[in-house]
Amino acid sequence: MVARGSPPPRWHVVGILILGVMTVSTAAVLIRLAMAAAGTRGVGLSLMLAVLRVAIASILFLPGWRSLDLARLQPSALVFSIGAGLCLALHFGAW
């Protein structure tokens, strides 16, 4: 376990980045396969799959909230986080 306030080991960061790139690069193929298996070509299934992907990612990140120190965050971080969330919602809506 990493001590609170210290940076994570380099291999943790590299491993998470590799896992993230692999996950993102295979997502489009798996979504197309799911759409073909369902026999549908509408936007509804795509949006549902996008919502499920975000929900699963949120559940996976949930344990990290325990170590989040809100007092140390700058106010601009909240603004940028909300902006990023809105852009992500717009991206999934336009997808």
Side-chain angles (χ1 to χ4, degrees):
M1 179 137 269
V2 178
R4 191 176 182 118
S6 65
R10 185 173 177 86
W11 68 272
H12 280 183
V13 175
V14 171
I16 289 172
L17 285 175
I18 289 172
L19 181 65
V21 168
M22 288 174 47
T23 304
V24 168
S25 63
T26 59
V29 174
L30 294 175
I31 288 171
R32 295 296 171 225
L33 288 173
M35 289 178 71
T40 184
R41 299 198 77 165
V43 91
L45 182 63
S46 293
L47 282 176
M48 184 196 69
L49 290 173
V51 167
L52 287 174
R53 286 176 60 204
V54 171
I56 291 169
S58 299
I59 291 169
L60 291 175
F61 283 121
L62 201 57
W65 280 98
R66 288 183 297 177
S67 62
L68 182 63
D69 187 9
L70 293 175
R72 294 184 61 198
L73 289 178
Q74 296 177 357
S76 61
L78 182 61
V79 172
F80 284 121
S81 296
I82 291 171
L86 291 173
C87 288
L88 187 63
L90 180 64
H91 162 75
F92 280 127
W95 186 54

